[in-house]
Amino acid sequence: VDHYCSAQWPLFTPPLTGQPRTGRAEALEPTRLMKLNCIVFNDLVQKHKEIANQVILRLVGIIRQVDARVADTGVLADNVRFCRALLRMAQPANEISSVLILPLLPRHEELARQTGISVQAVTETMVWLKSEGIVTRRPESPRSIVIKDIERLRAAAHIEDT
């Protein structure tokens, strides 16, 4: 087993497929990554069925998310898909606050790629969200935003209260 700090993440062959990894990751905080080769991973899941079960459950969750996003692509406007992406990326500012933040907002190009919309649509939606007071940049961290009005962002994302 090899360990890497976030600054040293190599491209590696993931244990499930044996194919080269195509994804990218950007750590928002100091992170450790564990790399298992295919043989070690297969041995691990065969000996520990609870690990195999958790891997399957995680993969099912990923498939469901991707399925929902693909379905959204055909029927939702770009700005709606972008607002949904912001809500997915948001996290609580701290344990006692209901404020949501994005501690490290990806660049517009990356946001466009992730959401399947144009950079122009990302920029226009961000400008609109800021002008409406729904989001604001954090002065101490220019690539971080605060969601000031969660309900209006949910409305812009066409998400109804449940």
Side-chain angles (χ1 to χ4, degrees):
V1 177
D2 297 326
H3 294 276
Y4 298 93
C5 73
S6 61
Q8 300 172 316
W9 287 10
L11 289 177
F12 64 94
T13 304
L16 289 176
T17 64
Q19 299 297 312
R21 184 166 179 79
T22 59
R24 242 177 22 103
E26 186 171 340
L28 300 178
E29 55 191 52
T31 303
R32 291 183 64 143
L33 174 70
M34 183 174 71
K35 173 185 167 186
L36 298 174
N37 69 36
C38 192
I39 295 168
V40 172
F41 178 78
N42 287 335
D43 187 50
L44 186 66
V45 295
Q46 287 176 6
K47 288 180 181 174
H48 301 279
K49 300 300 182 194
E50 65 278 5
I51 293 174
N53 189 47
Q54 289 302 312
V55 168
I56 290 169
L57 290 174
R58 179 69 180 122
L59 291 173
V60 167
I62 291 169
I63 291 167
R64 286 183 176 151
Q65 282 181 337
V66 168
D67 184 53
R69 287 189 204 170
V70 168
D72 288 351
T73 300
V75 297
L76 296 177
D78 290 352
N79 61 328
V80 173
R81 291 200 327 261
F82 180 72
C83 290
R84 287 184 177 199
L86 288 181
L87 286 167
R88 276 193 304 274
M89 292 186 283
Q91 55 187 277
N94 58 47
E95 296 81 24
I96 58 172
S97 173
S98 63
V99 172
L100 293 178
I101 64 167
L102 279 82
L104 183 61
L105 186 67
R107 301 205 181 282
H108 285 200
E109 294 82 7
E110 180 64 18
L111 289 167
R113 189 192 63 72
Q114 288 177 9
T115 55
I117 64 177
S118 69
V119 174
Q120 180 180 349
V122 169
T123 302
E124 289 172 355
T125 305
M126 282 299 294
V127 167
W128 180 81
L129 290 169
K130 288 178 194 172
S131 71
E132 291 291 315
I134 297 171
V135 302
T136 188
R137 293 228 184 244
R138 295 171 68 191
E140 68 277 10
S141 178
R143 286 195 54 208
S144 177
I145 65 169
V146 176
I147 299 174
K148 293 174 62 177
D149 194 333
I150 297 166
E151 290 311 311
R152 287 188 61 208
L153 182 58
R154 287 176 56 83
H158 295 186
I159 298 174
E160 298 177 10
D161 290 329
T162 54

